[in-house]
Amino acid sequence: NVEASIPEPLREAWREHKYFVRHVETTLARSLYNCDELAAYSGTALAFRDRLIIEWNKTQQRQTFTDQKRVYYLSLEFLMGRTLDNAMLNVGLKDVARDGLSDLGFRIEDVINQEHDAALGNGGLGRLAACFLDSMATLNYPAWGYGLRYRYGIFKQEIVNGYQVEIPDYWLDNNPWEFPRHEITVDIQFYGNVKKYQDENGRISNSWEDGEIVQAIAYDVPIPGYGTKTTNNLRLWSSKASSGEFDFQKFNAGDYESAVADQQRAETISAVLYPNDNLERGKELRLKQQYFWCAASLFDIVRRFKKTKRAWAEFPDQVAIQLNDTHPTLAIVELQRILIDKEGLEWDEAWNIVTKTFGYTNHTVLPEALEKWSVPLMQNLLPRHLQIIYEVNLFFLQSVEKRFPNDRDILSRVSIIEESHPKMVRMAYLAIIGSHKVNGVAELHSDLLKSTLFKDFVKIYGPDRFTNVTNGITPRRWLHQANPRLSALIAEKLGGYDFLKDLTLLDKVEAFVDDKAFREEWAVIKRENKLRLARHIKATTGFDVNPNALFDVQVKRIHEYKRQQLNIFGVIHRYLSIKAMSAEEKKKVVPRVSIFGGKAAPGYWMAKTIIHLINNVADVVNKDPEVGDLLKVIFIADYNVSKAEIICPASDISEHISTAGTEGSGTSNMKFVLNGGLIIGTCDGANIEITREIGEQNIFLFGNLAEDVEDLRHRHFYGDFKLDPQLERVFDAIKDNVFGDKADFSALTSSIEEHGDYYLVSDDFNSYITTHEMVDEAFQNQEEWLAKSITSVARMGFFSMDRVTNEYADSIWNVEPLDVTD
Ligand code: 26M
């Protein structure tokens, strides 16, 4: 137990508010008498920050001194959420802090709630990166994250008249968790041209010249592990006009305004997180972000390596770089450029180093998400990189041709360059060719990668280049922090909190499944968590929800493939059924609260239409006196990490209902089950492995299988299809304007009725409805439901992020933890 390991004098100092008062009075220049909740937050955060800094410095010194191999996790997104609560739990002083704040008249929850989420991500991919950081620190891996310091994180969502409205998320003011490193800067070049020259050895070399320079400035964020001294670093780059450029030339020419405009243009690079999730649109600024961040990170990594004076051949023994999706693929090209153009290595020697260094994680098979950049765009922005890409491609295709001399099509299929108009650079292919390992994020997903998207590459490189590492979640945030009472109950039975560091120990919980007192406690905790969510719903939407009702939750980015439309159509079906019931029949209905949350990409009209429909249905259903408590529909605005921490522990059932074969893994499915909720889901992503672990009697699976999808889509295409009759009844209600103007939703209904139902909503509708009836029935037997809940939690050990981190470390990175036993 981390809490217990804190020495008494330190505890005493905190109890006496020593650090808190010092920060409030001096750092914040406030008196304790005008200390409001925000100041209390800042004072507490600064006090905890001091503790992190000390361990952070020691960790960095230790890592430099031992000079073991390090991992660099490159991600354009880190969806961190709040830091204070996590820091208090990791350091082990939350209880002391609670008492201290309470003496001064503050509730710790209110203080924690003052913090703004660090929302530098869209969804699953960004949150996975954050869970990685937590786990790598907890397991003592020498690891750094590299990302961008966006001035604006993912937009804040408001719902106005049922429509999503996006508000900029300016989050940086008074952020105590970052440290500007103004001395750590890198000049990043764009545009310009390539000149050939002969170097002193008579070798023809290339030099990239005359570009525009933008400066990258490092901002560091300490990442504490749970119950360890390791505090790793997350380095985020911020862009600024390079000082040399800005000031003098234009200023002297009297052109102040245009000098300022240049400055602003440079700062634009790190200004905003692109709010697309699983959608690629080839915007130049996005490519600039990618290169800016890759180049700054690579410069930093190479600089650190060069200080050790090792031979270049040792680079892959010292450095492992993981690419979180294809967004950082330019790092591969940048390292090759540094090695051949700057360091004078031969091509083959350099390329060998590069491929040994990189690993690439793929997160999706959706074709619209696969990154491609137009050749003319890249030619203009990164002329030298494009040359290198062409060269990589040439050597690669030559080797393929040699191996498969009779296969004429394979060359055009696997070429990094797509021969379209304009030509496009296929980033996933470049990432595969430049890495030694490629992994998917759940078994089905990894299998699909090998059998579809990357089939040719399996033929070329053999199956060993491809592997699976099923995603996980950190139990520190997603159990201990989000659900402290459940965590405490488990700790009480298991004799301590060791399970937070080895989640497989949860299996010991199963022995208590018949323990009456334990079961009662378990049920009370779920109820408390539901009440907490009910209060949030009341405060934010004004609706009262019945805490005895079945809480049915779907929270995630809004996307057609995730099928929130299937859910809301199911809700309409339920509503129409209730309306048609006699009073007697109504008595048998299990009351439900259908809870939705999630953001739509601002340009994704269909997703916005789904949000609009959900809100209009809520409007009608929640006011209908014939329905009363039997059904309520809630849309929780601005779903984010800190809301997930309230929502996950409060669900009875959650929905993970993507069209089979489309969801890479899903990670919220794991969060819900770990918090004692059951799930309804398709045979997709990690749902399949969750089923394997917890048993099929503990999950509600429905729908067509991935292997049937292609055939079903074909049938739609050839008109061999009849709309499911129950779905037809739902559409009829929509077309009778029951939920507002039908015209608002015609795109949605016609995508199913007329345009091929790509996501197979109609095909799965009947099975979905029937399975929900089974959910109702199961919920009526509370004793059995409770047993399912407890058993499932007990069997979730596999989904710890620590298992994931160790698998990457062993099978991809070849890194060892750094011993910290001082
Ligand atoms: C791409 C180009 C331009 C702008 C944005 C993007 C982009 C951003 C985020 C594309 C994809 C992005 O994220 C995809 C994502 O979150 N994938 C999810 O990754 C999770 C972690 O592995 C999986 O659990 C989910 O199944 C998968 O959808």
Side-chain angles (χ1 to χ4, degrees):
N1 187 355
V2 185
E3 199 84 38
S5 68
I6 304 297
E8 194 45 39
L10 182 61
R11 210 184 279 274
E12 195 49 35
W14 279 78
R15 269 198 220 106
E16 289 168 357
H17 325 121
K18 186 172 149 204
Y19 308 108
F20 178 84
V21 171
R22 188 178 72 216
H23 280 298
V24 170
E25 291 187 343
T26 61
T27 320
L28 303 175
R30 306 269 292 241
S31 92
L32 274 187
Y33 301 100
N34 74 2
C35 179
D36 56 11
E37 271 171 359
L38 185 60
Y41 161 71
S42 297
T44 312
L46 290 165
F48 274 93
R49 187 178 84 161
D50 289 348
R51 302 231 357 124
L52 298 192
I53 295 169
I54 291 168
E55 297 304 334
W56 185 34
N57 281 331
K58 285 194 203 154
T59 303
Q60 297 316 315
Q61 275 172 31
R62 196 158 53 224
Q63 291 180 3
T64 306
F65 180 75
T66 56
D67 196 30
Q68 277 179 217
K69 185 171 185 178
R70 290 190 183 91
V71 184
Y72 297 102
Y73 195 80
L74 266 59
S75 179
L76 259 192
E77 307 195 354
F78 288 92
L79 196 45
M80 304 295 284
R82 290 176 177 153
T83 295
L84 177 60
D85 198 2
N86 190 250
M88 294 193 294
L89 290 167
N90 281 5
V91 167
L93 282 162
K94 186 173 179 183
D95 286 342
V96 178
R98 178 186 287 109
D99 295 346
L101 285 166
S102 153
D103 287 347
L104 301 169
F106 297 104
R107 285 185 49 221
I108 195 168
E109 289 75 20
D110 299 333
V111 172
I112 286 169
N113 281 337
Q114 296 299 312
E115 184 172 352
H116 198 103
D117 272 37
L120 306 185
N122 276 283
L125 169 145
R127 183 55 230 178
L128 189 77
C131 284
F132 252 124
L133 295 179
D134 175 87
S135 184
M136 292 190 297
T138 299
L139 297 172
N140 302 316
Y141 285 104
W144 284 47
Y146 275 108
L148 275 184
R149 179 182 179 267
Y150 302 108
R151 197 145 23 105
Y152 298 92
I154 187 71
F155 62 85
K156 286 183 171 298
Q157 178 194 55
E158 283 180 13
I159 302 297
V160 179
N161 297 326
Y163 291 94
Q164 166 174 298
V165 173
E166 299 98 21
I167 315 288
D169 171 44
Y170 184 83
W171 70 290
L172 285 172
D173 275 350
N174 306 318
N175 172 12
W177 306 109
E178 64 168 16
F179 293 84
R181 302 289 194 200
H182 293 291
E183 75 285 7
I184 300 178
T185 63
V186 185
D187 282 347
I188 308 295
Q189 189 175 359
F190 294 104
Y191 309 106
N193 44 62
V194 183
K195 297 230 169 68
K196 282 204 188 308
Y197 69 97
Q198 206 163 26
D199 68 15
E200 58 271 26
N201 305 322
R203 214 181 68 144
I204 303 292
S205 284
N206 292 282
S207 141
W208 178 19
E209 292 173 2
D210 306 329
E212 192 180 297
I213 305 289
V214 177
Q215 203 174 50
I217 300 174
Y219 284 73
D220 287 348
V221 182
I223 307 292
Y226 175 77
T228 171
K229 294 179 178 305
T230 299
T231 300
N232 280 332
N233 194 27
L234 168 61
R235 178 158 286 176
L236 302 176
W237 298 104
S238 181
S239 63
K240 217 178 155 213
S242 99
S243 46
E245 300 260 309
F246 169 69
D247 337 351
F248 301 109
Q249 288 157 19
K250 283 186 175 162
F251 182 71
N252 287 342
D255 198 357
Y256 179 69
E257 265 177 66
S258 113
V260 172
D262 283 354
Q263 176 103 5
Q264 280 176 340
R265 214 155 47 86
E267 288 176 12
T268 302
I269 293 177
S270 61
V272 49
L273 166 78
Y274 275 90
N276 295 327
D277 175 280
N278 283 308
L279 180 79
E280 169 55 32
R281 295 143 146 265
K283 285 267 190 354
E284 185 183 58
L285 183 60
R286 169 85 177 177
L287 187 60
K288 273 189 158 179
Q289 288 188 333
Q290 294 186 349
Y291 179 64
F292 171 82
W293 150 67
C294 288
S297 306
L298 254 294
F299 186 91
D300 209 38
I301 293 166
V302 167
R303 172 167 58 192
R304 196 167 300 123
F305 174 79
K306 285 174 78 166
K307 275 196 201 150
T308 68
K309 308 256 191 257
R310 291 171 189 263
W312 282 110
E314 288 179 56
F315 190 81
D317 304 325
Q318 294 303 110
V319 174
I321 302 179
Q322 191 64 26
L323 306 176
N324 196 21
D325 215 298
T326 54
H327 316 151
T329 303
L330 284 170
I332 289 173
V333 189
E334 177 69 1
L335 181 57
Q336 179 72 1
R337 185 182 76 89
I338 292 171
L339 294 178
I340 61 178
D341 290 359
K342 304 269 177 202
E343 303 295 336
L345 273 68
E346 295 299 326
W347 179 277
D348 288 343
E349 190 189 0
W351 188 245
N352 187 25
I353 291 170
V354 168
T355 54
K356 281 183 179 162
T357 300
F358 288 97
Y360 154 51
T361 305
N362 173 287
H363 296 264
T364 181
V365 295
L366 296 185
E368 67 269 29
L370 294 181
E371 278 196 294
K372 290 175 188 175
W373 289 105
S374 107
V375 166
L377 184 68
M378 216 179 261
Q379 167 71 52
N380 185 243
L381 189 70
L382 302 167
R384 179 61 185 138
H385 294 78
L386 187 66
Q387 283 183 348
I388 293 173
I389 291 170
Y390 268 100
E391 209 124 321
V392 169
N393 199 35
L394 178 70
F395 294 135
F396 170 66
L397 292 179
Q398 282 172 346
S399 76
V400 175
E401 196 176 25
K402 221 185 266 169
R403 291 251 335 262
F404 304 95
N406 301 318
D407 191 344
R408 295 169 63 234
D409 294 340
I410 196 170
L411 295 182
S412 67
R413 284 205 308 272
V414 300
S415 173
I416 297 172
I417 306 299
E418 178 184 276
E419 296 292 328
S420 45
H421 301 282
K423 291 183 185 171
M424 302 292 258
V425 182
R426 297 159 161 162
M427 301 307 271
Y429 292 3
L430 180 54
I432 296 172
I433 295 165
S435 302
H436 66 284
K437 266 301 189 241
V438 177
N439 76 286
V441 291
E443 269 172 23
L444 173 67
H445 170 64
S446 299
D447 287 346
L448 287 172
L449 285 181
K450 285 197 266 186
S451 61
T452 62
L453 273 191
F454 301 153
K455 195 168 142 205
D456 288 318
F457 290 91
V458 176
K459 231 169 100 182
I460 293 165
Y461 290 118
D464 291 351
R465 171 82 61 122
F466 297 87
T467 186
N468 171 250
V469 187
T470 299
N471 282 168
I473 56 174
T474 168
R476 273 73 65 180
R477 182 174 295 256
W478 298 112
L479 178 55
H480 191 48
Q481 184 181 320
N483 203 342
R485 284 195 63 183
L486 193 66
S487 183
L489 176 62
I490 294 169
E492 183 194 313
K493 291 295 167 191
L494 267 48
Y497 283 97
D498 290 354
F499 64 94
L500 292 176
K501 284 202 158 227
D502 175 4
L503 203 64
T504 62
L505 293 175
L506 277 183
D507 63 4
K508 307 270 184 299
V509 168
E510 209 165 334
F512 299 93
V513 68
D514 294 320
D515 178 325
K516 194 149 172 290
F518 179 76
R519 293 166 67 98
E520 268 166 27
E521 266 290 299
W522 193 277
V524 166
I525 290 167
K526 178 59 78 180
R527 201 185 145 76
E528 284 285 318
N529 289 332
K530 287 171 77 174
L531 282 167
R532 176 162 70 137
L533 178 57
R535 284 195 297 272
H536 176 79
I537 289 171
K538 176 73 179 172
T540 54
T541 70
F543 289 119
D544 285 299
V545 297
N546 172 8
N548 298 320
L550 193 165
F551 279 21
D552 170 348
V553 183
Q554 188 177 18
V555 286
K556 47 183 89 230
R557 287 301 288 260
I558 311 292
H559 204 295
E560 285 167 280
Y561 89 82
K562 294 179 187 282
R563 298 202 295 191
Q564 284 89 355
Q565 70 276 39
L566 175 60
N567 188 344
I568 194 65
F569 294 153
V571 170
I572 295 173
H573 167 83
R574 181 171 286 261
Y575 173 67
L576 298 174
S577 304
I578 293 172
K579 296 281 280 182
M581 283 176 185
S582 67
E584 225 21 63
E585 287 171 313
K586 278 189 190 170
K587 286 187 186 149
K588 291 192 207 122
V589 173
V590 178
R592 265 211 197 217
V593 183
S594 276
I595 298 164
F596 293 82
K599 295 172 185 177
Y604 188 178
W605 278 104
M606 197 66 96
K608 290 186 147 177
T609 301
I610 294 169
I611 292 179
H612 187 199
L613 180 60
I614 295 169
N615 282 294
N616 280 16
V617 171
D619 225 39
V620 172
V621 171
N622 297 351
K623 286 184 194 141
D624 191 330
E626 285 181 20
V627 173
D629 253 7
L630 298 185
L631 182 61
K632 285 274 175 289
V633 181
I634 302 295
F635 190 93
I636 296 182
D638 200 39
Y639 176 61
N640 60 14
V641 171
S642 50
K643 287 191 183 167
E645 290 167 20
I646 300 171
I647 294 168
C648 291
S651 96
D652 293 307
I653 197 136
S654 63
E655 311 232 358
H656 308 277
I657 59 177
S658 49
T659 310
T662 61
E663 188 71 275
S665 159
T667 45
S668 75
N669 42 7
M670 303 165 192
K671 292 164 198 168
F672 282 102
V673 179
L674 187 60
N675 282 282
L678 306 190
I679 65 185
I680 176 168
T682 44
C683 294
D684 200 19
N687 291 354
I688 297 171
E689 289 146 272
I690 291 176
T691 307
R692 186 185 68 205
E693 294 294 310
I694 69 176
E696 32 186 16
Q697 67 287 2
N698 295 318
I699 186 167
F700 298 92
L701 290 178
F702 74 97
N704 284 286
L705 302 180
E707 63 207 46
D708 303 321
V709 166
E710 194 183 283
D711 183 53
L712 287 166
R713 283 181 178 157
H714 239 77
R715 287 199 208 172
H716 281 280
F717 188 80
Y718 289 105
D720 173 13
F721 150 80
K722 193 172 170 329
L723 191 67
D724 177 272
Q726 291 178 295
L727 186 58
E728 193 170 2
R729 186 177 68 143
V730 169
F731 283 10
D732 286 345
I734 293 173
K735 289 171 190 168
D736 283 344
N737 301 317
V738 174
F739 308 104
D741 188 348
K742 65 176 176 192
D744 291 351
F745 309 112
S746 63
L748 189 50
T749 51
S750 71
S751 75
I752 294 164
E753 288 180 293
E754 293 163 42
H755 302 132
D757 191 10
Y758 190 74
Y759 297 102
L760 306 179
V761 172
S762 176
D763 302 83
D764 281 347
F765 195 67
N766 185 265
S767 146
Y768 179 64
I769 297 299
T770 330
T771 307
H772 263 304
E773 285 163 9
M774 292 164 61
V775 170
D776 285 327
E777 198 172 303
F779 194 69
Q780 279 174 307
N781 187 341
Q782 277 294 304
E783 286 306 313
E784 241 174 69
W785 187 277
L786 206 51
K788 287 183 199 292
S789 164
I790 296 168
T791 312
S792 300
V793 172
R795 298 178 182 175
M796 283 297 286
F798 178 75
F799 299 99
S800 171
M801 196 66 199
D802 298 343
R803 187 264 311 155
V804 179
T805 301
N806 283 324
E807 280 185 23
Y808 276 78
D810 290 349
S811 70
I812 303 175
W813 304 332
N814 193 26
V815 289
E816 302 284 338
L818 200 165
D819 215 358
V820 273
T821 38
D822 63 300

